[in-house]
């Protein structure tokens, strides 16, 4: 297996057969060799720096009905909330004081946030915090809408492709949602000039090794600046309530593979990873991740932004989360840095 890992490190690529062997490999020495190689590449480009993004969950209203997601429209057993411009600006102010230089506005697909409203929010954030980057993660919108948001100052956009296989996509989403449109949105975002992020859940229902290989191939084609992956975690009010969660082991292995394939990519160690394992986020960094995204949302709404069960960090103030993550990173010899954290050229 070491020669396959070396090849991946040297060429940033493998053939399907080699990828399959690596994805299905259970040998702990081989997996440790993969992890170590990924950590070395990470350190070549980013040293021991960890970039932070302040996550602001602006709305849990959503028109979609993704089978895995707890804020799906069909979930009638949740209270819905949305943040006002003032509340969002307040989160940024709080975050700025704590050293955040990137704010991520994430939410369900909520038509309340018109282009006009979002552009006005973006203008205010950019005026108040000119040295900060703003990332949006608000789902599928039209080319024209994305263009307006970009022109109003948004720097980055996160839109996970979720799965590169149309057949698998149709098992995770209702017929009203289209795989084709999701991919079109990603190409639109890139064309407009956004630093674009994509990604997928690890261990989502019905996922096969071939699906994962297709996900990696799609990312090679898209060449995103950011790749978000995390384990699938079931939510009790969804059609996937009874499915097993994705595993720590496979998620970490994929983080390492992604680091070797995309040496400079921005790769978060996600909250979902911290949810399935108490030290999941630390392990993600040690496997090659270079970003963490602590929560800046007002505490009173945190529990309502419940994409999956048992989500961590729903009770703490932003300052506590920031402090806790700081200590977690220090405990493994890494440092959170005050920086926009753009991708290295
Ligand atoms: N509406 C936005 C934001 C979605 S939430 C959009 O469409 O992009 C961000 C990500 O959370 C999703 O892309 C999905 O990959 C992940 N997610 C949703 N439900 C999840 C679950 N049950 N377990 C793990 N991740 C989940």
């Amino acid at each position: 297996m070491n020669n396959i890992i070396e090849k991946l490190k040297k060429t940033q690529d493998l053939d399907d057969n080699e990828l399959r062997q690596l994805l299905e490999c259970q040998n702990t020495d081989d997996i440790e060799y993969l992890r170590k190689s990924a950590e070395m590449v990470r350190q070549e480009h980013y040293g021991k720096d960890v970039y932070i993004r302040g996550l602001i969950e602006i709305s849990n209203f959503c028109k979609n009905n993704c089978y895995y997601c707890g804020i799906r429209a069909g979930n009638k057993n949740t209270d819905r909330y949305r943040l006002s411009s003032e509340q969002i600006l307040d989160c940024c102010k709080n975050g700025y004081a704590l050293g955040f230089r990137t704010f991520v506005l994430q939410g369900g697909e909520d038509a309340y946030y018109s282009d006009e409203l979002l552009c006005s929010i973006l203008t205010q954030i950019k005026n108040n915090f000119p040295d900060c980057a703003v990332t949006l993660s608000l789902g599928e919108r039209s080319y024209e809408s994305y263009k307006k948001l970009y022109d109003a100052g948004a720097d980055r956009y996160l839109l996970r492709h979720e799965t590169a296989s149309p057949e698998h996509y149709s098992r995770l989403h209702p017929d009203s949602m289209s795989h084709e449109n999701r991919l079109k949105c990603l190409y639109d975002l890139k064309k407009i000039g956004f630093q674009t992020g994509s990604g997928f859940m690890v261990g989502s229902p019905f996922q096969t090794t071939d699906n994962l290989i297709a996900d990696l191939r799609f990312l090679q084609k898209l060449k995103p600046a950011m790749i978000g992956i995390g384990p699938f975690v079931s939510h009790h009010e969804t059609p996937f309530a009874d499915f097993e969660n994705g595993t720590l082991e496979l998620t970490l292995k994929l983080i390492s593979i992604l680091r070797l394939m995309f040496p400079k990519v921005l790769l978060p160690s996600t909250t979902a990873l911290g949810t399935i394992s108490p030290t999941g986020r630390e392990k993600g960094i040690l496997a090659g991740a270079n970003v963490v995204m602590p929560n800046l949302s007002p505490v009173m709404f945190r529990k309502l932004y419940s994409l999956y069960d048992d989500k961590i960090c729903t009770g703490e103030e932003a300052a506590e989360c920031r402090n806790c993550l700081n200590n977690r990173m220090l405990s493994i010899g890494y440092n959170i840095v005050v920086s926009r954290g753009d991708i290295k050229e």
Side-chain angles (χ1 to χ4, degrees):
M1 194 59 66
N2 287 9
N3 53 336
I4 293 186
I5 297 167
E6 282 305 317
K7 178 180 169 192
L8 176 57
K9 187 174 168 187
K10 201 173 295 161
T11 66
Q12 286 95 56
D13 199 16
L14 290 176
D15 64 36
D16 284 5
N17 190 28
E18 293 163 331
L19 273 179
R20 183 169 300 107
Q21 284 182 55
L22 195 51
L23 286 166
E24 292 179 351
C25 165
Q26 300 285 347
N27 181 300
T28 48
D29 290 340
D30 292 337
I31 294 169
E32 175 56 17
Y33 190 80
L34 173 70
R35 186 202 68 75
K36 195 78 214 148
S37 308
E39 193 188 17
M40 274 165 58
V41 169
R42 179 226 192 276
Q43 289 187 9
E44 257 169 51
H45 300 293
Y46 292 95
K48 299 253 182 166
D49 290 355
V50 177
Y51 294 147
I52 47 172
R53 320 299 194 199
L55 183 64
I56 307 172
E57 298 155 335
I58 67 168
S59 170
N60 73 347
F61 282 88
C62 191
K63 73 173 171 55
N64 291 328
N65 248 320
C66 308
Y67 298 152
Y68 44 85
C69 184
I71 65 167
R72 64 203 304 274
N75 178 5
K76 303 296 177 207
N77 286 324
T78 185
D79 292 328
R80 302 283 171 170
Y81 77 93
R82 53 171 71 99
L83 302 186
S84 65
S85 307
E86 293 70 30
Q87 286 171 314
I88 294 170
L89 262 295
D90 250 15
C91 294
C92 295
K93 192 172 158 202
N94 196 3
Y96 192 89
L98 294 169
F100 289 92
R101 296 296 178 266
T102 292
F103 303 115
V104 181
L105 275 47
Q106 190 180 81
E109 288 194 17
D110 180 359
Y112 173 84
Y113 294 92
S114 62
D115 295 341
E116 290 65 34
L117 177 56
L118 286 172
C119 287
S120 130
I121 294 171
L122 284 164
T123 308
Q124 292 177 69
I125 298 179
K126 283 288 178 168
N127 281 342
N128 287 321
F129 312 101
D131 54 337
C132 292
V134 180
T135 306
L136 299 177
S137 176
L138 300 169
E140 298 170 32
R141 303 176 76 96
S142 68
Y143 182 95
E144 293 67 35
S145 169
Y146 287 149
K147 178 83 172 91
K148 284 184 194 158
L149 301 174
Y150 183 78
D151 291 340
D155 303 271
R156 310 184 185 133
Y157 205 103
L158 298 175
L159 185 77
R160 291 186 178 180
H161 65 278
E162 311 296 1
T163 172
S165 148
E167 189 269 335
H168 186 217
Y169 188 91
S170 71
R171 302 187 77 173
L172 302 181
H173 304 92
D175 288 345
S176 53
M177 296 179 70
S178 136
H179 185 246
E180 202 186 334
N181 192 57
R182 192 126 189 123
L183 302 194
K184 175 185 180 289
C185 286
L186 282 163
Y187 289 113
D188 284 350
L189 290 163
K190 276 208 77 170
K191 192 155 141 202
I192 290 167
F194 279 101
Q195 295 174 41
T196 303
S198 197
F200 54 92
M201 288 177 288
V202 177
S204 59
F206 317 113
Q207 186 178 64
T208 62
T209 302
D210 281 343
N211 292 151
L212 290 172
I213 294 172
D215 288 325
L216 296 171
R217 295 289 177 230
F218 170 71
L219 292 169
Q220 287 179 319
K221 208 168 123 200
L222 182 72
K223 299 187 178 57
M226 309 167 287
I227 300 176
I229 66 163
F232 160 75
V233 184
S234 73
H235 185 288
H236 64 284
E237 291 284 354
T238 65
F240 289 164
D242 295 329
F243 281 85
E244 292 291 318
N245 292 343
T247 65
L248 176 70
E249 292 70 26
L250 186 56
T251 309
L252 294 175
K253 189 193 272 181
L254 276 155
I255 289 177
S256 296
I257 292 174
L258 288 167
R259 172 57 64 209
L260 293 177
M261 268 192 169
F262 306 93
K264 294 184 181 172
V265 81
L266 297 165
L267 190 55
S269 190
T270 56
T271 306
L273 195 53
T275 296
I276 61 161
S277 159
T279 53
R281 283 171 302 174
E282 291 89 318
K283 292 199 170 92
I285 296 293
L286 293 169
N290 56 349
V291 174
V292 287
M293 300 173 63
N295 204 315
L296 281 184
S297 312
V299 174
M300 63 184 293
F301 298 118
R302 293 234 190 133
K303 281 202 177 23
L304 296 178
Y305 196 79
S306 150
L307 308 177
Y308 46 81
D309 287 340
D310 304 319
K311 191 171 145 212
I312 54 168
C313 310
T314 55
E316 290 89 12
E317 290 294 341
E320 293 171 76
C321 283
R322 169 73 169 81
N323 207 18
C324 162
L325 266 177
N326 215 37
N327 292 333
R328 285 172 182 269
M329 295 302 120
L330 287 175
S331 78
I332 55 167
Y334 282 77
N335 311 297
I336 286 180
V337 292
V338 175
S339 156
R340 274 173 53 115
D342 288 300
I343 192 165
K344 294 262 162 96
E345 286 307 324

